[in-house]
Amino acid sequence: MLYCTGDNNENFIVEMQKGNQEHFKDRILFYTANLVQGHGKSVEANWDYKLPEVYKLFVANFPFSMTEIRLLELLASM
């Protein structure tokens, strides 16, 4: 897994997998949420909560289940 930052401060997570994992969708959510959470500012006055864009790219040699596809679509819409 690679964590990258673009020229406009957007974040990218790039991951390649050869085999499916039992809790794959949970892992997707965990790593993406942790990256977003890391941009939080705990007690800064006047923080507007605007976060940089976060993208996750998966390259896999196995099919995703419909549940995993729906989760990816949900994450993409946020």
Side-chain angles (χ1 to χ4, degrees):
M1 185 175 328
L2 298 173
Y3 290 96
C4 308
T5 303
D7 292 338
N8 296 317
N9 204 31
E10 66 274 72
N11 296 122
F12 298 89
I13 301 172
V14 182
E15 181 174 353
M16 298 179 71
Q17 282 210 345
K18 291 184 78 170
N20 200 354
Q21 291 186 340
E22 182 179 356
H23 301 288
F24 182 67
K25 64 182 184 294
D26 295 332
R27 220 179 87 230
I28 293 169
L29 186 57
F30 177 80
Y31 285 118
T32 305
N34 275 333
L35 187 57
V36 170
Q37 182 271 337
H39 290 286
K41 299 175 184 178
S42 60
V43 243
E44 183 176 316
N46 301 323
W47 180 42
D48 65 1
Y49 292 90
K50 176 142 177 60
L51 298 170
E53 297 289 330
V54 174
Y55 302 95
K56 185 149 173 97
L57 172 66
F58 302 100
V59 179
N61 69 347
F62 56 88
F64 291 115
S65 70
M66 285 309 297
T67 301
E68 291 164 336
I69 290 170
R70 286 188 194 109
L71 174 67
L72 293 172
E73 290 171 346
L74 176 64
L75 287 173
S77 69
M78 295 181 161

